[in-house]
Amino acid sequence: MATTDDPTLDLTVLKINLDHFFLLINGLVVFLMQCGFAFLEAGSVRAKNTTNILIKNLLDVFLGAMAYWAVGYAFAYGDPGNGFIGHSQFFLSEIGEDESALSSFFFQFVFAATAATIVSGSMAERTEFKAYLIYSVVITGFVYPVVSHWAWSETGWLADGINGMVVLGFQDFAGSSVVHMVGGVAALTGAAILGPRIGRFDKENIDKGSHQGHTVPLVALGGFILFFGFFSFNGGSVLAISNPGDGIVMARAIVNTIISGAAAALVSLGMGKVLYNTKKWSLLTMINGGLTGMVAICAGCNTLYPWGAFVTGVVAGAVFIGGSALVFRLRIDDPLDAVAVHLGGGLWGIFSTPWLARGTGIFFAWNGDAFAGWGWNLLGALVITVWTAALSVLLFGGMHILGILRVSPETEYMGLDEKEHGEPAYPIMAYVGNDSRNAANGGANGFPATAFHPESGAQGKDNEGLDVAEMASEREAADVV
């Protein structure tokens, strides 16, 4: 390794490299959360839409990378910029010969990709693929970057604080509002304009779980990966590790994340058992409750005491249960419960952090500055909600008017895997066999003559009443053509 005669200079170089390495490693862990979202969403949709939701999660990365490289990073952190938006460094130009912004770009990109991923879950199983391509680029390239500029750039109006007093600036350390509320509001708006899946709220289906996801193990695996990723999502938001106290702040953020997530998971599990008609211990409710707690603690994970994280998590668990019930009562179809998790959890985190922040929070200081900081957070949450909702109405409403937002009823019945991609995740012939002997022997080769459809609750029918044999013959005819 090259060295210099000045040990101070060597130490400075080491510190700079450590900070870059810190951002890249934590960015890679947050990137893994895309895998968690993919598993969570794939398990939460019906089998006939698995390929569709997986390709969308992959494109959140690929499309997001292009959009954020081209314009997103410039809008978010382009310097110079103004209080509203950045306006330089498009396509990562003008970043300097030392390319010191590259590690920051990667870390911020994986956050941007998360915001778009939230939306795809709420609009799953009935959205046109071309519509997904449009909204993914717009959210990653413009809607989210502008909000992150407000809250996290040096020139953003929210970060600048009240009358330029940064000490009273916006309190959102890791994105309760910047990432999760943006994703949650866009998801709520999109799902409302898109409308529910066919039959979702029909009287004969509403209490029978006819639109349940097809594999709980995938949901659980995705949940575990997301829980793991949140430690870097929150802890890595320190953005550096070489300054005095950085390690302590990161440790505090990680400890608070697990405490809040655990408390929320347990509360949601218990409330689901008591309040839901099934009176069962629900794994899916517990997973979503835990995620809500980790979303809520994003805002204050660097400043709260552990007991504050516990309070945040307890309330977050109840927020998830209440938010999920409210969305259902409004007849808004959200297959992932993403609105309750991300909008509900994010809003609670932004609301509670100015109360619970150590030393400066209302519970500790009880002075004008503390209440002003709370008001600034509420104002920020309101403006972020209005901004995201307004752009989402224009975006999704425009596509709805143009007739490109939702797939046809035939496509929705048959499944997007087959109609949109021609690649079913669970080909029927893999279950029934593809030779004539199996049919002649009535299933003697180990497969039943009439397939048990992987998303069906009854032999030979999918959960919308379509005959599996008829679907198979249609697919075989398509293959011949």
Side-chain angles (χ1 to χ4, degrees):
M1 182 180 70
T3 61
T4 68
D5 294 332
D6 185 351
T8 304
L9 181 59
D10 286 340
L11 183 59
T12 300
V13 172
L14 178 62
K15 290 176 63 177
I16 293 172
N17 286 336
L18 280 175
D19 287 340
H20 286 303
F21 185 72
F22 175 83
L23 280 178
L24 292 172
I25 290 299
N26 281 286
L28 289 170
V29 176
V30 176
F31 181 88
L32 183 64
M33 293 178 75
Q34 292 295 330
C35 180
F37 278 117
F39 284 151
L40 186 78
E41 293 181 17
S44 298
V45 301
R46 290 165 294 177
K48 63 184 179 181
N49 297 311
T50 305
T51 298
N52 179 262
I53 204 68
L54 289 175
I55 194 174
K56 288 176 179 177
N57 276 272
L58 284 167
L59 282 170
D60 284 335
V61 173
F62 300 141
L63 278 176
M66 293 295 97
Y68 204 69
W69 168 59
V71 296
Y73 186 77
F75 289 149
Y77 299 103
D79 185 19
N82 54 45
F84 177 76
I85 195 171
H87 48 75
S88 64
Q89 299 179 4
F90 295 97
F91 295 95
L92 289 182
S93 62
E94 306 173 36
I95 62 172
E97 292 186 4
D98 63 352
E99 299 181 315
S100 59
L102 292 180
S103 58
S104 174
F105 166 82
F106 179 73
F107 187 77
Q108 299 300 340
F109 151 66
V110 294
F111 274 59
T114 299
T117 302
I118 294 168
V119 183
S120 65
S122 291
M123 299 177 65
E125 301 201 281
R126 72 268 200 209
T127 304
E128 274 277 8
F129 191 66
K130 64 174 80 70
Y132 160 77
L133 297 176
I134 294 170
Y135 80 68
S136 181
V137 170
V138 172
I139 291 173
T140 309
F142 184 66
V143 178
Y144 166 81
V146 171
V147 173
S148 61
H149 178 83
W150 295 347
W152 289 341
S153 75
E154 293 181 358
T155 56
W157 68 272
L158 272 176
D160 199 33
I162 303 172
N163 296 324
M165 297 176 63
V166 178
V167 69
L168 296 178
F170 194 57
Q171 300 174 63
D172 188 3
F173 182 70
S176 284
S177 65
V178 177
V179 178
H180 298 285
M181 282 185 61
V182 167
V185 171
L188 176 63
T189 307
I193 293 174
L194 182 63
R197 291 166 289 176
I198 294 174
R200 175 65 181 92
F201 295 116
D202 289 354
K203 185 176 181 181
E204 62 271 19
N205 292 333
I206 197 167
D207 294 323
K208 296 181 181 179
S210 64
H211 289 65
Q212 286 182 337
H214 76 285
T215 167
V216 172
L218 268 187
V219 177
L221 178 58
F224 269 118
I225 295 173
L226 289 173
F227 295 146
F228 174 74
F230 260 112
F231 297 135
S232 278
F233 194 97
N234 291 353
S237 292
V238 179
L239 302 181
I241 199 62
S242 65
N243 303 306
D246 283 346
I248 294 299
V249 175
M250 183 179 185
R252 183 186 303 144
I254 291 175
V255 169
N256 284 340
T257 298
I258 189 59
I259 290 176
S260 180
L266 295 174
V267 167
S268 61
L269 177 67
M271 290 186 68
K273 165 71 172 175
V274 173
L275 299 178
Y276 288 167
N277 292 333
T278 59
K279 303 299 182 183
K280 305 291 185 181
W281 301 103
S282 171
L283 170 65
L284 303 180
T285 299
M286 183 180 69
I287 291 172
N288 278 329
L291 292 174
T292 308
M294 292 188 173
V295 167
I297 200 62
C298 286
C301 59
N302 64 319
T303 60
L304 270 61
Y305 288 107
W307 64 262
F310 173 77
V311 172
T312 300
V314 167
V315 178
V319 166
F320 168 71
I321 296 295
S324 178
L326 177 61
V327 170
F328 182 83
R329 183 173 291 274
L330 293 173
R331 296 298 187 261
I332 296 174
D333 187 10
D334 182 2
L336 272 292
D337 260 336
V339 174
V341 172
H342 298 280
L343 177 54
L347 185 59
W348 163 240
I350 286 298
F351 179 92
S352 62
T353 294
W355 284 82
L356 298 170
R358 61 174 66 199
T360 60
I362 294 174
F363 279 136
F364 297 91
W366 198 262
N367 56 31
D369 285 349
F371 279 98
W374 181 46
W376 195 246
N377 258 35
L378 295 181
L379 175 64
L382 176 62
V383 174
I384 289 170
T385 299
V386 171
W387 164 263
T388 308
L391 292 182
S392 297
V393 168
L394 291 175
L395 178 63
F396 297 119
M399 290 191 288
H400 176 70
I401 292 172
L402 293 174
I404 62 172
L405 182 61
R406 183 165 184 146
V407 299
S408 67
E410 176 191 7
T411 298
E412 187 173 343
Y413 274 124
M414 288 293 293
L416 278 67
D417 289 2
E418 186 69 38
K419 286 289 189 177
E420 296 256 310
H421 310 288
E423 297 174 343
Y426 307 96
I428 287 180
M429 297 313 296
Y431 291 85
V432 302
N434 58 3
D435 59 84
S436 58
R437 291 174 299 169
N438 190 49
N441 294 334
N445 292 342
F447 297 100
T450 303
F452 184 90
H453 197 268
E455 65 190 52
S456 171
Q459 193 177 41
K461 298 283 186 179
D462 81 349
N463 54 25
E464 276 133 0
L466 295 180
D467 188 271
V468 173
E470 180 182 339
M471 294 169 66
S473 65
E474 289 181 13
R475 289 170 179 161
E476 289 172 358
D479 290 341
V480 171
V481 174

